[in-house]
Amino acid sequence: MAMVDNSLISALCEGLGERAVLLNEPMSKHTTFRIGGPADVLVMPQTEEQAAFVVRSCRAASVPLRVIGRGSDLLVADTGLSGVVMKIAGNLADVRVNGSRIEAQAGASNARIAEAAAQAALTGYEFAAGIPGTVGGAAIMNAGAYGGEFRDVACRLVCLNAAGEVVSLRAYEAQWGYRCSAMDTTNTIVLRVILQLMPGNTQDIRDRMADLSRRRREKQPLEMPSAGSTFKRPVGYFAGKLIEDAGLRGFSIGGAQVSQKHTGFVVNADGATASDVRTLIREVQRRVRENSGVDLHPEVRCWGFKDE
């Protein structure tokens, strides 16, 4: 734990409470891949003020800080993570409906927000109901599915900048692109989102959510640990089709496997290590490039690897 000295640990314990500060915490407990070595320190702030305190404390100590929600798009190295990891899922999770707008803290799950919208007869967030992460992660990655994207419904964001100061961003300032945003490149942490939805029919909304849920269950390997879609969609192609055409359905390295059910997913089939997954991803990239000439780029974020 060379990067995190006792003075920072003491400050975090005092500011957040000792139960909210975990030392040498296995990241396998905090990622949907169920993979990852220990983080030097993992903290779980209960309030937005505590989150800002963590940012300022790590900045003052020159200690790296990473932020996770539910770890649903994340592969952590077997050797773990140096510095501090701040987990916001579960705690910063308040969701409020105000007319046709929903204000939600970044740790709220997409499923919870979609349910709140359905209860309020608001349409526009059905596409995200099955996206396993938090709304904060959806904002940073411009998450999307079934023809919808986060930027379609975003109105405003409340964030922490790299100095731990609260800033408000209007939608256009987020500069959303395909699975990316300005927040992702400026060390900006999303605290809250304000979504602008449209009045709809509750039954129609629930029917749409049920249909998308059925389609996910039928086509995606939801029964196995994964980080969702492994690769970004190349322009003019589908990643899964390129992988299938390269003859890689079911291809495995160690405990990691290209899903038999959906070739766009790499799954933890049998006690996979992060090294297994990373090696498999690279081999898929190589074989697809060799077969079709198309470069696949991971959607999964890889943390803690030497060449990160």
Side-chain angles (χ1 to χ4, degrees):
M1 205 179 297
M3 297 198 70
V4 185
D5 62 26
N6 288 333
S7 61
L8 177 56
I9 294 172
S10 296
L12 293 172
C13 287
E14 183 176 349
L16 279 64
E18 291 186 4
R19 296 180 64 183
V21 180
L22 305 178
L23 307 183
N24 295 314
E25 177 69 3
M27 290 301 296
S28 57
K29 295 181 178 180
H30 304 278
T31 66
T32 56
F33 248 138
R34 300 291 180 259
I35 292 172
D40 285 350
V41 180
L42 185 139
V43 298
M44 297 172 288
Q46 303 290 313
T47 66
E48 294 178 5
E49 291 75 20
Q50 287 185 349
F53 169 77
V54 172
V55 174
R56 293 194 299 269
S57 298
C58 291
R59 179 182 175 89
S62 298
V63 169
L65 172 65
R66 302 174 188 266
V67 180
I68 66 168
R70 299 180 67 190
S72 59
D73 63 343
L74 185 58
L75 177 66
V76 175
D78 301 310
T79 52
L81 298 172
S82 58
V84 175
V85 175
M86 179 165 66
K87 182 174 182 177
I88 61 169
N91 292 330
L92 301 178
D94 187 48
V95 177
R96 299 180 183 181
V97 179
N98 183 12
S100 60
R101 289 187 174 183
I102 291 183
E103 181 169 350
Q105 287 185 304
S109 70
N110 291 303
R112 183 180 173 195
I113 293 169
E115 176 59 27
Q119 290 182 9
L122 296 175
T123 185
Y125 210 65
E126 295 93 319
F127 75 91
I131 295 176
T134 61
V135 72
I140 289 173
M141 288 194 69
N142 186 29
Y146 298 106
E149 288 186 310
F150 185 83
R151 62 180 166 187
D152 298 336
V153 295
C155 178
R156 188 166 60 86
L157 306 172
V158 177
C159 304
L160 289 173
N161 64 19
E165 302 164 335
V166 177
V167 294
S168 181
L169 299 180
R170 288 169 288 184
Y172 74 88
E173 293 176 294
Q175 299 176 28
W176 280 297
Y178 178 64
R179 303 298 178 264
C180 65
S181 70
M183 293 84 72
D184 198 23
T185 57
T186 57
N187 293 322
T188 299
I189 298 168
V190 177
L191 289 176
R192 272 177 284 144
V193 305
I194 293 87
L195 307 177
Q196 178 65 64
L197 304 180
M198 297 291 292
N201 178 275
T202 298
Q203 190 58 52
D204 291 343
I205 294 167
R206 292 201 177 279
D207 287 346
R208 168 71 170 159
M209 289 169 61
D211 177 58
L212 295 183
S213 177
R214 175 187 58 77
R215 290 162 66 180
R216 282 190 175 92
R217 289 194 305 273
E218 289 177 352
K219 297 181 179 180
Q220 298 180 8
L222 302 182
E223 69 283 359
M224 304 183 79
S226 78
S229 296
T230 305
F231 299 98
K232 297 178 181 179
R233 180 184 297 177
V235 176
Y237 299 90
F238 291 97
K241 179 66 162 56
L242 292 169
I243 296 167
E244 172 80 18
D245 291 346
L248 293 171
R249 181 180 294 275
F251 177 70
S252 63
I253 291 178
Q257 182 184 58
V258 175
S259 170
Q260 295 274 9
K261 194 172 186 180
H262 190 313
T263 50
F265 287 65
V266 169
V267 298
N268 180 355
D270 185 18
T273 65
S275 179
D276 291 340
V277 174
R278 193 83 185 285
T279 303
L280 179 57
I281 286 173
R282 288 179 167 175
E283 183 63 11
V284 169
Q285 289 175 301
R286 186 188 71 80
R287 295 201 189 185
V288 167
R289 186 184 306 113
E290 187 177 81
N291 185 67
S292 65
V294 178
D295 287 322
L296 291 180
H297 298 283
E299 185 170 314
V300 175
R301 297 165 186 242
C302 298
W303 286 1
F305 296 87
K306 290 182 179 180
D307 58 347
E308 178 192 349

